[in-house]
Amino acid sequence: MGYTNYFLCVTISLFLTLSSLHLVAPFPAAASGGGLDYSYYDQTCPRLAMIIRYSVWSAFKNESRIAASLLRLHFHDCLVNGCEGSILLDDTIDFKGEKNAPANRNSARGYEVIDSIKAEVEKACPSTVSCTDILALAAREAVVMTGGPYWPVSLGRRDGLTANQAAVAQELPSPIESLDDITAKFTSKGLDVKDVVVLSGAHTLGFAQCFLIKRRLFNFKNTGKPDPARLQGMCPNKDASNANLAPLDSTTTRFDNSYYTNIVNNAGLLDSDQALLMNPTTGEMVRSYSSNPYQFYSDFAASMVKLSSVGVLTGKNGEIRKKCGSVN
């Protein structure tokens, strides 16, 4: 299927999806401020949206898991030193990149999809579109293609000139951290506790590696007993299964609110997921989203707009990389 036919089909489908969800965009129609603008590439790269949408669709058709990977890649980029594409950089003699930080190594994925999109964009609009903007748009398309909400992405981000592997451990929330610590990392980026609950809903897509949940499965709170909230046997209690994948919820390739339903039923996969129910404030939100998917979709879209504006570089700061894995 060519770009034009594909774009027409997706546009119609997207319109019908948004109409059925009654999502009234709670976002400004004009420029978003902070040097970003919804129409930033309208004149310089008018086919950008079509190229990215088609490329993400092709990748998703080849491997449905990639949708979760692209969304997670965007999240891991923005929560560490802001949305400036540092997670895409390879190691150099000057710095160790974020790709090989423990939280990302053998976990964060989808780099080759972003590289492929960048190559196509460079053919159409050389040295014009940042890798960071491509990642932000790809994450949005990944959510929409799995049945999730659409949100407008303001554009004009520039790519950072370095990466900081140590900052990953300091700034990126871990699924084994307390809710208070996770919330503190969010608030340090200008987000809030509602964003913690809403963006955790991204776990409706994808998988987690077994090593992240074994402590909970087989030695719950250091009791030596399994977590009573989980079914036993999800991951065998042996080292060989550490890299095995466990579904984050029952609909790993469909964006929905089953993540919250699972938590209400004491079946959240990660410690950080189930912890949301234990706190009165976040627990109330979890119960609300479990019974009102449309509210979740609307709030998720709003939180993604906030996330994608964290620590952006604009104007003469940073650069437009020619290749996403290296600075110019």
Side-chain angles (χ1 to χ4, degrees):
M1 183 187 295
Y3 280 156
T4 303
N5 290 338
Y6 168 78
F7 186 65
L8 178 61
C9 290
V10 169
T11 300
I12 294 173
S13 174
L14 179 59
F15 174 77
L16 293 175
T17 299
L18 294 175
S19 298
S20 66
L21 291 180
H22 305 290
L23 287 183
V24 179
F27 319 109
S32 64
L36 303 181
D37 194 295
Y38 296 131
S39 58
Y40 191 85
Y41 297 113
D42 283 3
Q43 300 301 317
T44 57
C45 197
R47 294 176 60 238
L48 176 63
M50 182 170 67
I51 292 171
I52 292 179
R53 192 165 296 154
Y54 180 83
S55 298
V56 173
W57 174 80
S58 296
F60 180 71
K61 184 178 179 182
N62 183 58
E63 185 207 13
S64 58
R65 185 185 166 201
I66 199 65
S69 299
L70 292 174
L71 178 57
R72 186 165 178 257
L73 202 60
H74 179 47
F75 179 84
H76 280 218
D77 180 40
C78 292
L79 265 272
V80 179
N81 295 326
C83 308
E84 30 71 279
S86 59
I87 195 171
L88 304 174
L89 288 171
D90 295 320
D91 292 352
T92 72
I93 59 174
D94 297 317
F95 61 78
K96 289 185 177 181
E98 296 164 21
K99 288 183 179 182
N100 289 313
N104 292 328
R105 186 172 59 246
N106 300 321
S107 177
R109 55 197 301 276
Y111 300 107
E112 72 286 348
V113 174
I114 300 302
D115 289 342
S116 176
I117 296 173
K118 176 63 172 176
E120 291 300 316
V121 171
E122 283 295 301
K123 292 177 185 177
C125 326
S127 301
T128 300
V129 181
S130 69
C131 297
T132 312
D133 274 347
I134 288 173
L135 181 54
L137 288 167
R140 193 267 309 278
E141 295 306 322
V143 170
V144 171
M145 286 180 191
T146 52
Y150 173 95
W151 63 90
V153 178
S154 54
L155 301 167
R157 298 167 190 78
R158 289 171 66 84
D159 298 319
L161 302 176
T162 188
N164 187 341
Q165 187 176 112
V168 176
Q170 298 166 0
E171 301 180 27
L172 190 67
S174 164
I176 62 174
E177 286 184 302
S178 69
L179 179 58
D180 286 343
D181 288 345
I182 291 173
T183 302
K185 289 184 175 181
F186 271 68
T187 56
S188 72
K189 304 297 180 181
L191 304 172
D192 56 33
V193 68
K194 181 178 180 179
D195 296 314
V196 173
V197 179
V198 173
L199 294 176
S200 292
H203 288 168
T204 185
L205 298 174
F207 300 80
Q209 294 187 60
C210 282
F211 80 89
L212 288 171
I213 61 174
K214 279 188 175 180
R215 182 176 62 116
R216 182 175 177 194
L217 286 176
F218 300 106
N219 187 22
F220 183 56
K221 293 185 177 179
N222 295 318
T223 63
K225 299 178 180 180
D227 182 353
R230 298 297 304 160
L231 296 174
Q232 296 183 35
M234 178 167 288
C235 299
N237 192 17
K238 52 187 179 181
D239 290 344
S241 69
N242 283 348
N244 289 0
L245 299 177
L248 284 164
D249 80 0
S250 57
T251 57
T252 58
T253 61
R254 186 172 73 244
F255 193 99
D256 56 25
N257 70 326
S258 60
Y259 165 80
Y260 299 104
T261 304
N262 288 347
I263 294 176
V264 169
N265 292 329
N266 288 319
L269 184 68
L270 302 174
D271 287 343
S272 58
D273 294 334
Q274 200 58 48
L276 295 174
L277 190 63
M278 301 299 103
N279 177 281
T281 300
T282 59
E284 182 179 352
M285 286 186 271
V286 166
R287 284 185 284 271
S288 175
Y289 292 141
S290 73
S291 60
N292 190 341
Y294 301 134
Q295 186 62 52
F296 166 50
Y297 299 155
S298 179
D299 288 351
F300 186 85
S303 286
M304 286 301 296
V305 169
K306 291 175 64 176
L307 174 69
S308 63
S309 298
V310 171
V312 298
L313 302 176
T314 59
K316 295 183 179 180
N317 296 315
E319 66 177 11
I320 304 298
R321 292 182 205 146
K322 298 183 187 303
K323 293 185 177 181
C324 293
S326 60
V327 296
N328 296 339

